[in-house]
Amino acid sequence: MSAVKKILIADDEPDILEILQFNLQKEGYNVITAKNGDEAIEQAKKHQPDLIILDIMMPGKNGIEVCNILRQQPAFYATLIIFLSAISDEGTEVWGLETGADDYVTKPITPKVLVSKVNALFRRLTKGETAIIQIGDLKIDREKYIMNYQGNDIILARKEFELLALLASKPGKVFLRNEILNQVWGTEVIVGDRTIDVHIRKIRQKLGLDCITTVKGVGYKFEL
Amino acid sequence: MSAVKKILIADDEPDILEILQFNLQKEGYNVITAKNGDEAIEQAKKHQPDLIILDIMMPGKNGIEVCNILRQQPAFYATLIIFLSAISDEGTEVWGLETGADDYVTKPITPKVLVSKVNALFRRLTKGETAIIQIGDLKIDREKYIMNYQGNDIILARKEFELLALLASKPGKVFLRNEILNQVWGTEVIVGDRTIDVHIRKIRQKLGLDCITTVKGVGYKFEL
DNA sequence: AAATCGCTTAACAATTTGATAATACAAGGA
DNA sequence: TCCTTGTATTATCAAATTGTTAAGCGATTT
């Protein structure tokens, strides 16, 4: 999964084709178009798009047929497919989805909504790759529970990790002591005021790096 | 991933809750319900569902709020979320999708269509999952229930196998004790706290290999 | 029927973490 | 300068968490 996603749109109405193409390109996608089913198959084979948007009603092969044909080939086993249709007939929609489509969108549809759906699909696809916060040389991996500074892993205890992760989630922002207590300790638990300081100190010590600034009378902020 | 998918439905209308629950259960899903936003969050944390269906309009926290809260937690970073809404307002739909939902469904909706959508989402998710995991010299065949390290087969008991397979499914990721319990033991069974430890110990022993790291207060992770 | 296996639990040891108290330090105002 | 307020440092102790071992029990095998 690399940089620019390729999207193939197949629809027999030039207007729709154009407006969708325009909007998707504006989002940074690489758009290919086709005017009918056969052309869609041809283009799909040629470009191997990441996503195919198929109008159901098209001259020649209709969208569902195209989907079936493509899905039979290993190369398109995992390709995203969205059906586009004027029919809001329940049976067709269910059929479309069971055929192996990833979404089914009924016309009339606004470009914005379609773009959102497309984004959502790609977002889902890319998930699973870990979400790490990266600030300068400091990497914070919430999933692996690891901090890494200039290549060296830093082991922090739970509270320390959560505290630093909170501060680093918005570099520059000053977190009030109350805010910190609520986020890290929760509203139930009540702990003394010095507790935060002590943890801050331990973090500073373990990081050996002056990235947490004290704002007297207010709170703390993270800044590299 | 365990066989049966868990779905959490949150809606304040008992009728809808019931009809969706019925239809999804008929499809073989394990369904949990919640009557409002707060309950949804609670249940989500408790059961770690694979999919969450959220009504947007609910008393207390609304669906979008719930989604935001959950998405902030690493445990729900990749959980599927579908919004359910009576509003067919374009702005809301776009907003919902950009918030991190995987689909947005407008009421009135027939159970059939929803079920199809759910199936489609899971189908997509399962694509690309392999039965054989290979990490370094360690091979794990989930289907044959066989582990092999440097050419030697390793015999693990079922729970041990599933536990290690789970940890190894995402090397580096820290699995919370809850996560482990849900995935390996399921939500029904309740077992004592030391049970996990004992299995971990046996795995460590049998593998004779220091590949499972304890993250105190958090969970365990696999790393070669 | 005896032996074995897999799973869970109890009991206790070992370890780590987190909160607090006590004390020192810094900056601003009277 | 001397308070006052707010933060830093350090050591200490209690609580939380995990490791280890042995034992119990039901299911399966011999």
Side-chain angles (χ1 to χ4, degrees), chain A residues 3-202:
Chain A
V4 180
K5 304 285 186 187
K6 270 177 287 185
I7 301 178
L8 168 62
I9 316 178
D11 198 315
D12 56 326
E13 295 175 65
D15 294 352
I16 294 191
L17 217 51
E18 195 185 327
I19 198 171
L20 291 184
Q21 178 172 24
F22 173 75
N23 280 281
L24 287 169
Q25 278 176 344
K26 207 171 59 180
E27 281 285 302
Y29 293 109
N30 183 347
V31 180
I32 306 141
T33 60
K35 288 185 293 296
N36 57 60
D38 297 294
E39 204 182 317
I41 293 177
E42 191 185 311
Q43 294 284 58
K45 285 183 183 166
K46 189 170 162 192
H47 291 103
Q48 284 284 324
D50 301 288
L51 163 67
I52 305 176
I53 302 176
L54 288 171
D55 187 26
I56 294 216
M57 308 257 261
M58 282 186 297
K61 294 197 176 56
N62 70 39
I64 297 188
E65 289 176 283
V66 173
C67 176
N68 278 325
I69 291 170
L70 291 178
R71 277 279 191 255
Q72 281 176 350
Q73 305 179 31
F76 297 100
Y77 167 70
T79 308
L80 291 167
I81 295 182
I82 296 181
F83 279 132
L84 209 60
S85 163
I87 313 166
S88 78
D89 164 42
E90 174 186 331
T92 313
E93 178 159 357
V94 171
W95 187 36
L97 286 170
E98 300 296 344
T99 295
D102 293 290
D103 208 344
Y104 185 105
V105 177
T106 355
K107 294 186 203 172
I109 187 161
T110 65
K112 272 194 185 178
V113 173
L114 184 73
V115 167
S116 295
K117 292 226 174 209
V118 169
N119 285 334
L121 276 178
F122 280 128
R123 201 186 322 126
R124 162 61 46 195
L125 204 64
T126 2
K127 269 187 189 167
E129 287 147 43
T130 40
I132 51 180
I133 305 175
Q134 161 106 247
I135 306 125
D137 286 337
L138 184 69
K139 268 183 279 190
I140 301 179
D141 190 327
R142 287 174 159 285
E143 196 166 78
K144 296 188 175 172
Y145 232 86
I146 275 183
M147 301 234 171
N148 185 296
Y149 181 62
Q150 293 185 333
N152 308 354
D153 281 351
I154 298 165
I155 313 288
L156 295 182
R158 196 171 78 186
K159 293 278 186 224
E160 291 159 19
F161 185 92
E162 281 170 11
L163 177 45
L164 179 52
L166 174 67
L167 295 183
S169 69
K170 268 188 169 265
K173 155 162 183 173
V174 178
F175 287 83
L176 313 181
R177 294 178 98 89
N178 260 329
E179 249 176 300
I180 295 175
L181 285 178
N182 285 327
Q183 297 282 326
V184 178
W185 275 265
T187 43
E188 327 280 297
V189 197
I190 298 169
V191 294
D193 246 15
R194 298 293 111 245
T195 302
I196 295 183
D197 310 7
V198 174
H199 281 98
I200 292 280
R201 181 184 172 292
K202 284 186 182 167

Side-chain angles (χ1 to χ4, degrees), chain B residues 23-34:
Chain B
N23 280 280
L24 287 168
Q25 278 175 344
K26 208 171 58 183
E27 281 283 305
Y29 293 110
N30 182 348
V31 180
I32 306 142
T33 60

Side-chain angles (χ1 to χ4, degrees), chain A residues 194 198 201 204 214 216-217 220:
Chain A
R194 298 293 111 245
V198 174
R201 181 184 172 292
R204 283 173 171 155
T214 306
K216 250 190 126 166
Y220 294 92

Side-chain angles (χ1 to χ4, degrees), chain B residues 59-105:
Chain B
K61 293 196 177 56
N62 71 40
I64 297 187
E65 287 176 284
V66 173
C67 176
N68 278 325
I69 291 171
L70 291 179
R71 277 279 193 257
Q72 280 180 347
Q73 305 180 33
F76 297 100
Y77 168 68
T79 307
L80 291 168
I81 295 183
I82 296 181
F83 279 132
L84 208 62
S85 163
I87 312 166
S88 78
D89 163 43
E90 174 187 329
T92 312
E93 178 158 358
V94 171
W95 187 35
L97 286 170
E98 302 295 343
T99 295
D102 294 288
D103 208 344
Y104 185 104
V105 176

Side-chain angles (χ1 to χ4, degrees), chain B residues 1-8 24-32 47-51 118 122 125-126 129 162 182-188:
Chain B
M1 302 299 137
S2 59
V4 182
K5 301 288 186 185
K6 270 174 289 183
I7 301 179
L8 168 62
L24 287 168
Q25 278 175 344
K26 208 171 58 183
E27 281 283 305
Y29 293 110
N30 182 348
V31 180
I32 306 142
H47 295 286
Q48 285 280 326
D50 302 288
L51 163 67
V118 170
F122 280 129
L125 200 66
T126 342
E129 268 187 27
E162 281 171 9
N182 286 326
Q183 298 283 331
V184 177
W185 276 265
T187 43
E188 326 287 296

Side-chain angles (χ1 to χ4, degrees), chain B:
Chain B
M1 302 299 137
S2 59
V4 182
K5 301 288 186 185
K6 270 174 289 183
I7 301 179
L8 168 62
I9 315 177
D11 199 315
D12 55 327
E13 295 176 65
D15 295 351
I16 295 191
L17 217 52
E18 196 184 328
I19 199 171
L20 292 183
Q21 177 172 25
F22 173 75
N23 280 280
L24 287 168
Q25 278 175 344
K26 208 171 58 183
E27 281 283 305
Y29 293 110
N30 182 348
V31 180
I32 306 142
T33 60
K35 290 184 290 295
N36 57 61
D38 297 293
E39 205 181 315
I41 294 178
E42 194 185 307
Q43 294 283 58
K45 286 183 182 166
K46 189 168 162 194
H47 295 286
Q48 285 280 326
D50 302 288
L51 163 67
I52 304 177
I53 302 177
L54 288 172
D55 187 26
I56 295 217
M57 306 254 261
M58 284 188 295
K61 293 196 177 56
N62 71 40
I64 297 187
E65 287 176 284
V66 173
C67 176
N68 278 325
I69 291 171
L70 291 179
R71 277 279 193 257
Q72 280 180 347
Q73 305 180 33
F76 297 100
Y77 168 68
T79 307
L80 291 168
I81 295 183
I82 296 181
F83 279 132
L84 208 62
S85 163
I87 312 166
S88 78
D89 163 43
E90 174 187 329
T92 312
E93 178 158 358
V94 171
W95 187 35
L97 286 170
E98 302 295 343
T99 295
D102 294 288
D103 208 344
Y104 185 104
V105 176
T106 349
K107 294 185 199 174
I109 187 162
T110 65
K112 273 192 184 178
V113 172
L114 184 72
V115 168
S116 296
K117 292 227 174 207
V118 170
N119 285 334
L121 276 178
F122 280 129
R123 201 186 321 124
R124 162 61 46 196
L125 200 66
T126 342
K127 272 183 190 170
E129 268 187 27
T130 41
I132 299 174
I133 305 173
Q134 163 105 248
I135 305 128
D137 288 335
L138 184 69
K139 264 180 281 188
I140 302 178
D141 189 327
R142 290 171 185 268
E143 283 184 344
K144 297 184 177 171
Y145 261 74
I146 288 176
M147 286 220 185
N148 184 296
Y149 182 62
Q150 293 185 333
N152 311 0
D153 280 352
I154 296 167
I155 314 290
L156 292 183
R158 182 150 37 259
K159 294 281 182 210
E160 291 160 17
F161 185 92
E162 281 171 9
L163 178 45
L164 180 51
L166 174 66
L167 295 183
S169 70
K170 265 191 173 252
K173 159 168 175 157
V174 177
F175 288 83
L176 314 180
R177 291 178 101 88
N178 262 330
E179 254 176 295
I180 295 176
L181 285 177
N182 286 326
Q183 298 283 331
V184 177
W185 276 265
T187 43
E188 326 287 296
V189 197
I190 297 170
V191 294
D193 248 11
R194 305 270 62 65
T195 303
I196 294 183
D197 307 358
V198 174
H199 284 281
I200 292 280
R201 180 179 134 52
K202 286 188 178 168
I203 295 172
R204 283 175 171 155
Q205 195 174 282
K206 286 190 183 175
L207 256 69
L209 178 66
D210 188 30
C211 58
I212 299 178
T213 314
T214 305
V215 182
K216 248 194 141 165
V218 190
Y220 293 93
K221 69 177 164 184
F222 176 94
E223 245 170 355
L224 252 186

